[in-house]
Amino acid sequence: MDSSPLKELDTRLLEALQLDGRAPFSHLARRLDVSERTIARRYQNLRTLGLRIVGQPVPARLGLVRWLLRLRCTPDAAGTIADALARRPDTSWVTLASGGTELSCAVNTRTTEERNALLLQKLPRTPMSCRSAPTA
């Protein structure tokens, strides 16, 4: 089976979900000109790959600051830290890079102190050489 049409459909489905993450499969199917069952199957596949639909307000409108963090960690710690960050409600996305020794994420905080507490106290205690480079 040629997987390129499915990859294109997955991309189109993700784009449609970005516009309306709560759209029923029937509406998505009509918009993408495929069956509702195909949409349901592709959606479930994306969920198994880690797709998570969340609503994200504009941080500044709520008095929040979005921090883009880049953390360098030992390979054995990066996955644990990424998982911990991904479970936090103030984290909008996390990605691993550089062969699993670096992760990037977006965190919304009210103050620099909240951001520092996250980095210095709330992340799991793991054997890590973790350095951060936050940018607002």
Side-chain angles (χ1 to χ4, degrees), residues 9-123:
L9 178 57
D10 291 342
T11 301
R12 292 173 47 217
L13 175 56
L14 289 171
E15 289 169 352
L17 288 169
Q18 285 177 332
L19 295 173
D20 183 0
R22 296 177 60 168
F25 289 161
S26 59
H27 292 172
L28 295 169
R30 280 194 300 277
R31 186 177 303 154
L32 300 177
D33 197 30
V34 295
S35 73
E36 188 173 339
R37 185 176 179 143
T38 297
I39 291 296
R41 189 175 66 248
R42 297 314 309 153
Y43 177 81
Q44 289 306 321
N45 185 58
L46 290 169
R47 294 272 302 154
T48 63
L49 296 174
L51 173 70
R52 184 176 71 159
I53 305 291
V54 295
Q56 287 290 314
V58 176
R61 290 185 182 167
L62 299 175
L64 300 172
V65 176
R66 173 160 290 164
W67 296 93
L68 302 177
L69 303 176
R70 190 177 85 196
L71 306 169
R72 282 192 202 166
C73 307
T74 59
D76 59 325
T80 303
I81 294 167
D83 288 341
L85 285 166
R87 286 191 302 271
R88 296 180 56 86
D90 57 0
T91 303
S92 55
W93 58 266
V94 179
T95 186
L96 287 169
S98 296
T101 61
E102 195 170 283
L103 63 91
S104 297
C105 66
V107 177
N108 299 317
T109 64
R110 294 199 183 282
T111 66
T112 303
E113 290 76 23
E114 282 184 12
R115 191 261 344 246
N116 290 345
L118 168 65
L119 293 176
L120 302 174
Q121 298 162 0
K122 294 181 182 177
L123 286 176

Side-chain angles (χ1 to χ4, degrees), residues 1-12:
M1 174 186 354
D2 181 10
S3 63
S4 59
L6 294 179
K7 289 181 183 176
E8 178 186 340
L9 178 57
D10 291 342
T11 301
R12 292 173 47 217

